[in-house]
């Protein structure tokens, strides 16, 4: 089976918001594949971040794909605006609404890639009947709402299950939360090919070295 390319998607949630545009440019230059955008509504998750106008204004800072993680409920009324603001890939949470299939159809009808995010306690079976609408499965490896949390080890098994469920389809398996150079190898070996990382990339002043460390850790087979 063909190996999917490793994708590093820095989460700007961990960046310095007082110079957000510069931070986006910096991770672009540092080798980010995608830019991960965490939208939180203070309702679906216990935190509020930013939304459509902020996304629109950083769209001009990079040509890299915007990997938009909607932690909002409901999501459907805002999909058109997120698509217009420059999202390339839009992930909605399986837990955020009663009509996941409808949300995914709406994203695809807007010409965007569609993802489903699932919380740590949510079984993977929730995507079984929508899998053929998916471009991405976003496995939350922390409870969504905050950066800087610890990776939940039980999620490695969920990643393996996702890999089996995907069964060679053209779908990326992405992990989000607590990804570091220490666990990237195990995550990649379990079957995830896309990694979101906030704190472990936006630390210190050499984002390029931080991204490189993740890539090397992910692809170096440990004995
Ligand atoms: C959490 C967000 C994550 C977060 C990851 O709700 O979805 O994208 O920014 O941050 P780290 O890498 O610091 O765990
Ligand atoms: Zn996220």
């Amino acid at each position: 089976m063909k190996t999917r390319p490793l994708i590093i998607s820095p989460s700007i949630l961990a960046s310095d918001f007082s110079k957000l545009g510069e931070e986006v440019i910096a991770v672009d230059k540092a080798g980010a594949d995608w830019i991960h955008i965490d939208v939180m509504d203070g309702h679906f998750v216990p935190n509020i971040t930013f939304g459509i106008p902020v996304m629109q204004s950083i769209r001009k800072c990079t040509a890299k794909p915007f990997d938009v993680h909607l932690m909002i409920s409901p999501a459907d009324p805002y999909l058109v605006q997120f698509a217009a603001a420059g999202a390339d890939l839009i992930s909605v949470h399986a837990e955020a609404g009663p009509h996941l299939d409808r949300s995914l159809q709406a994203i695809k009808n807007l010409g965007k890639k569609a993802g489903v995010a699932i919380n740590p306690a949510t079984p993977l079976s929730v995507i079984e009947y929508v899998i053929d609408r998916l471009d991405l499965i976003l496995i939350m490896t922390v409870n969504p709402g905050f950066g800087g949390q610890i990776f939940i080890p039980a999620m490695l098994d969920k990643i393996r299950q996702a890999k089996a469920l995907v069964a060679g389809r053209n779908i990326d398996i992405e992990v989000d939360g607590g990804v570091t150079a220490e666990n990237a190898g195990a995550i990649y070996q379990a079957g995830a090919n896309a990694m979101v990382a906030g704190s472990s990339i936006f630390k210190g002043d050499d984002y390029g070295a931080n991204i490189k460390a993740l890539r090397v850790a992910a692809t170096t087979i440990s004995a």
Side-chain angles (χ1 to χ4, degrees):
M1 199 181 293
K2 212 172 142 255
T3 325
R4 300 183 72 80
L6 173 65
I7 288 163
I8 304 290
S9 190
S11 164
I12 58 167
L13 182 61
S15 71
D16 180 346
F17 289 172
S18 71
K19 48 172 187 174
L20 184 55
E22 290 167 39
E23 292 276 73
V24 171
I25 293 167
V27 279
D28 175 332
K29 289 207 174 107
D33 297 296
W34 297 346
I35 307 293
H36 187 78
I37 300 187
D38 286 308
V39 181
M40 303 187 189
D41 66 354
H43 165 72
F44 178 67
V45 287
N47 195 10
I48 299 175
T49 54
F50 41 70
I52 295 146
V54 170
M55 229 183 89
Q56 233 163 9
S57 66
I58 55 170
R59 187 59 283 189
K60 57 181 177 293
C61 298
T62 179
K64 299 274 167 80
F66 273 3
D67 164 28
V68 179
H69 178 191
L70 295 182
M71 287 161 275
I72 65 174
S73 176
D76 291 12
Y78 305 100
L79 295 174
V80 171
Q81 292 174 75
F82 278 106
D88 294 281
L89 198 157
I90 301 177
S91 296
V92 291
H93 264 266
E95 308 84 1
H99 305 294
L100 179 59
D101 184 81
R102 177 180 286 146
S103 305
L104 296 171
Q105 287 195 48
I107 296 168
K108 298 302 280 185
N109 287 339
L110 289 164
K112 304 299 173 185
K113 290 189 168 174
V116 172
I118 51 175
N119 284 336
T122 301
L124 195 67
S125 56
V126 77
I127 58 170
E128 202 176 330
Y129 293 101
V130 294
I131 194 154
D132 288 316
R133 299 202 192 280
L134 296 183
D135 298 291
L136 176 132
I137 300 168
L138 176 49
I139 297 178
M140 292 307 300
T141 44
V142 298
N143 289 289
F146 304 94
Q149 302 181 78
I150 306 287
F151 180 90
I152 300 172
M155 296 303 105
L156 285 174
D157 185 54
K158 199 189 271 187
I159 298 166
R160 282 188 280 269
Q161 280 184 43
K163 176 88 175 166
L165 185 63
V166 161
R169 291 176 178 85
N170 188 21
I171 297 174
D172 288 308
I173 300 175
E174 184 174 51
V175 291
D176 186 3
V179 176
T180 65
E182 283 66 51
N183 57 25
I187 291 167
Y188 190 70
Q189 280 182 42
N193 69 292
M195 300 191 191
V196 176
S199 337
S200 61
I201 290 178
F202 287 97
K203 65 174 184 195
D205 52 15
D206 193 345
Y207 300 163
N210 297 341
I211 290 175
K212 180 100 189 290
L214 285 173
R215 279 195 208 285
V216 170
T219 51
T220 305
I221 309 287
S222 53

